[in-house]
Amino acid sequence: MLTPIIGYHLDDENHWVARLACGHFQHVRHQPPFINRPWVLKQSTRDEKLGQKLNCIKCDQGAVADFSLI
């Protein structure tokens, strides 16, 4: 299910995690050559991706939300 990014935070290992409008978290790592997301490295380029939709596998699997939207 495609869900917009509404924010970000760093996990315990300093990897960026997107907060999705559906209530799930999704890692958005930059680990070339396997994962190429240089936009996660700077605040300004992360901010440009707010509202972009990511495929949420947790939604597809019917997983419980990671956080409350309220």
Side-chain angles (χ1 to χ4, degrees):
M1 175 195 256
L2 293 175
T3 305
I5 299 171
I6 60 171
Y8 305 94
H9 68 270
L10 286 171
D11 70 7
D12 294 338
E13 297 177 1
N14 282 332
H15 294 280
W16 284 105
V17 178
R19 295 172 60 92
L20 302 178
C22 61
H24 291 122
F25 295 137
Q26 182 173 321
H27 279 94
V28 286
R29 295 180 179 99
H30 176 58
Q31 295 176 319
F34 304 108
I35 303 170
N36 190 21
R37 292 185 181 130
W39 58 267
V40 302
L41 302 177
K42 293 198 294 188
Q43 179 72 46
S44 61
T45 52
R46 282 192 305 277
D47 288 348
E48 290 174 4
K49 298 291 184 180
L50 290 173
Q52 177 177 314
K53 293 181 179 181
L54 295 179
N55 185 36
C56 182
I57 295 171
K58 290 180 180 180
C59 278
D60 293 340
Q61 296 171 344
V64 175
D66 295 316
F67 67 97
S68 174
L69 297 171
I70 300 172

